[in-house]
Amino acid sequence: MSTGATQRSYAMFYPLIAASAPGALPEGLLSLGQLLASLIVIYVASKLGGELALRLKQPAVLGELVAGLAVGVSGLKLIDPTQPVLLLLAQVGVTLLLFEIGLESDLRGLLKLGPQAVAVAAVGMVVPFALGYGVMKFVGAGELLAIFVGASSTATSIGISAKVLSDLGYLKRTEGQIILGAAVLDDILGVIVLSVVAGIAQGGSLELGEVARIVFSSLGFLVGAIVIGNRFMPVFLGIVRRLRTRGELLTASLVFAFALAYLAELLGSAAIIGAFAAGLVLAETDKRHDLEAQLRPVTDFFLPIFFITVGAGVNLALLGNQQALLLAGGLSVTAVLGKLVCGWAAFGVKANKFAIGAGMVPRGEVGLVFASVGLASGVLTGVNHTAVVIMVILTTFFGPLLLGLLLRREPVALTVGSS
């Protein structure tokens, strides 16, 4: 596209961006004024959407996605979600998100989890993948696309379910403990699955040997990074304690996370594996809570860019096609059913199995990571990307709603291990 055509495109479809820098534009590049205008829209939309969602007793991420729809290609067209600088900032947000998820995960607690949580996590990965894959093959999708959509259906948002359980006082009870344990394990398995499908997408290969290589390299890097990282931690913390400049803990931790993310990419894995491993390692130190508090403002800066641009890139006009609408509906139904059935894998305890399954339904920010990687790799485009994001939105809304309804009916919940 020529510079003149680019400028006309902005003026026609993104008037606020074009008005912020009326001069000639380098092709595909935002000026500082345009970037600032886009960020203003992103942060205002994010806050308005998130606040409205919370007041309606829904997850903030749901409101941010809907706000993205409102300001993007399906709404007011105030931002261009395809701009390289916004996409890069959004990918930094994804890396920080996986770092934060790792930091909030309890690796020692995970290793002590009962077999119920492991069984729920396993069924909650296999069944949604099979159903999502089956839907895509039914509509004639290629093998790579079907695998990616199936993988996108496996995610679980631990943050959303944990908030609902905490609000209802079920965080320490049977259902809550099984849901949290399975969701943490889902996070680890999900990152590995995402690494595999992203590697396949990058190489364009579905050969068994290549898939095995990516699986073992991802697992090997994750385990190796945790083992070596734990041995390196005393040195790392010693360096941090000697620093006198402001933000020493946060800066050193981000360097550690980005270094592992970069190393993971160099070794043929995914950057998110490295960031997640860094979070798991730092979660075992006495600096964990200080780092969580210091990291939160940084993620608060980058994550709205990610959530809003994901929503902004959804073209609802594509759902005017009956096949596209059926695809979005089919993926949403199978995504819910695939997680609901996993509750019955919690054997040997008296608990609300339906509630356990409902707690695994929300895809939230984790599902959006899959959609974002799929879009960046070119595997998810147009109708397919829109259908996956719609699935994430609907499960994010329906999961907490169903979980709340089910647990409010339960007067008593037993502890894990009760007969």
Side-chain angles (χ1 to χ4, degrees), residues 117-142:
V118 176
V120 169
V123 174
M125 292 286 290
V126 173
V127 176
F129 178 89
L131 292 176
Y133 176 87
V135 168
M136 296 308 295
K137 294 303 289 184
F138 180 76
V139 299

Side-chain angles (χ1 to χ4, degrees), residues 96-123:
L96 289 172
L97 174 62
L98 269 295
F99 179 42
E100 189 172 58
I101 289 175
L103 190 63
E104 294 174 353
S105 300
D106 185 356
L107 185 60
R108 290 182 181 176
L110 178 63
L111 296 175
K112 296 178 182 177
L113 289 175
Q116 293 88 358
V118 176
V120 169
V123 174

Side-chain angles (χ1 to χ4, degrees), residues 130-206:
L131 292 176
Y133 176 87
V135 168
M136 296 308 295
K137 294 303 289 184
F138 180 76
V139 299
E143 194 73 11
L144 180 58
L145 176 58
I147 287 175
F148 213 105
V149 173
S152 301
S153 301
T154 65
T156 296
S157 173
I158 184 173
I160 292 173
S161 293
K163 181 65 168 64
V164 177
L165 291 167
S166 177
D167 290 346
L168 295 176
Y170 270 73
L171 205 55
K172 300 297 182 183
R173 297 188 179 184
T174 302
E175 290 87 351
Q177 289 296 290
I178 293 175
I179 289 169
L180 290 182
V184 170
L185 192 55
D186 253 8
D187 278 341
I188 295 177
L189 294 175
V191 171
I192 293 172
V193 169
L194 181 57
S195 178
V196 171
V197 295
I200 293 172
Q202 188 175 21
S205 172
L206 286 171

